[in-house]
Amino acid sequence: MLYTENRQNKLEVTDEFIDKITKVCEFALKEEGVNINYQISLLFVDNEEIKEINNETRNIDRETDVLSFPMLDFEEGKVYKDMYLNFDFDETFKDGDELILGDMVLSLEKAKEQSIEYGHSYEREVSYLVVHSILHLLGYDHMIDEDKIIMRKREEEILNKLDITR
């Protein structure tokens, strides 16, 4: 289940918008082999608030587009595709029958700015950032070039299957 909260007032968040994001989340998780009940929290903020969160959590005093806070621990550099089918998670990582994957913080203001900068739709940018964040929740990273190539390829594969293109 995707839980959303809107803490910004610069861009409208409609039920239709949340439905689209939910479908993107569900599809990305399914593509990654997550076939169990899950829980993700998604917080919509503006640039000012994401800058504060980025500074508090990462000591980086600037705005960013999306932040991901995975609940599960993964070995560095290892992606656990399909592990959800064969792994018995400790109750620490569950809320009832839902596996808590983590939290995402998305600056809708930054997404709008980037959609203009990159010359594609706002919907495409938000969808990209959601997929990007979900992959982080599942253990992907982009700190080294090899991992970045893998992650970028996976993001594009998922978005292309959803027919969300540039």
Side-chain angles (χ1 to χ4, degrees):
M1 165 127 339
L2 178 68
Y3 297 94
T4 60
E5 181 181 345
N6 183 24
R7 280 204 214 154
Q8 58 83 52
N9 60 10
K10 300 199 188 289
L11 289 141
E12 186 178 15
V13 176
T14 63
D15 289 341
E16 180 184 0
F17 180 78
I18 291 173
D19 287 346
K20 286 181 183 178
I21 289 174
T22 300
K23 286 183 173 114
V24 169
C25 285
E26 289 171 352
F27 186 82
L29 290 167
K30 182 179 174 196
E31 284 292 300
E32 286 299 305
V34 179
N35 296 317
I36 59 175
N37 293 329
Y38 67 89
Q39 193 175 109
I40 294 174
S41 170
L42 173 54
L43 178 63
F44 301 117
V45 297
D46 58 22
N47 286 346
E48 183 179 327
E49 186 164 358
I50 206 163
K51 178 182 177 183
E52 290 173 19
I53 296 168
N54 202 20
N55 193 26
E56 289 170 12
T57 59
R58 300 173 63 219
N59 288 326
I60 299 175
D61 191 22
R62 65 178 157 80
E63 62 196 38
T64 189
D65 46 18
V66 67
L67 293 168
S68 308
F69 301 98
M71 179 66 173
L72 306 175
D73 293 323
F74 298 97
E75 287 180 39
E76 190 172 332
K78 184 164 175 127
V79 176
Y80 289 83
K81 188 164 173 64
D82 296 326
M83 70 173 249
Y84 311 96
L85 302 173
N86 304 313
F87 194 80
D88 185 26
F89 289 96
D90 183 281
E91 290 303 310
T92 306
F93 302 106
K94 288 186 166 184
D95 182 8
D97 70 340
E98 294 179 335
L99 178 63
I100 304 170
L101 293 177
D103 303 319
M104 303 185 293
V105 180
L106 174 60
S107 171
L108 294 180
E109 182 180 11
K110 181 59 99 175
K112 182 67 173 172
E113 292 168 2
Q114 289 177 174
S115 72
I116 294 165
E117 179 183 343
Y118 301 142
H120 54 241
S121 73
Y122 172 64
E123 179 184 339
R124 197 269 183 210
E125 186 63 20
V126 169
S127 296
Y128 167 78
L129 294 173
V130 166
V131 170
H132 179 85
S133 189
I134 282 178
L135 292 179
H136 275 310
L137 296 183
L138 299 178
Y140 286 78
D141 211 342
H142 49 80
M143 298 305 284
I144 62 172
D145 286 341
E146 182 182 335
D147 292 340
K148 185 176 184 176
I149 291 166
I150 292 167
M151 188 170 182
R152 294 292 180 260
K153 180 179 182 226
R154 195 66 187 125
E155 291 162 350
E156 290 303 320
E157 288 171 352
I158 291 168
L159 290 169
N160 286 337
K161 286 182 178 181
L162 283 165
D163 201 25
I164 301 173
T165 58
R166 293 179 187 262

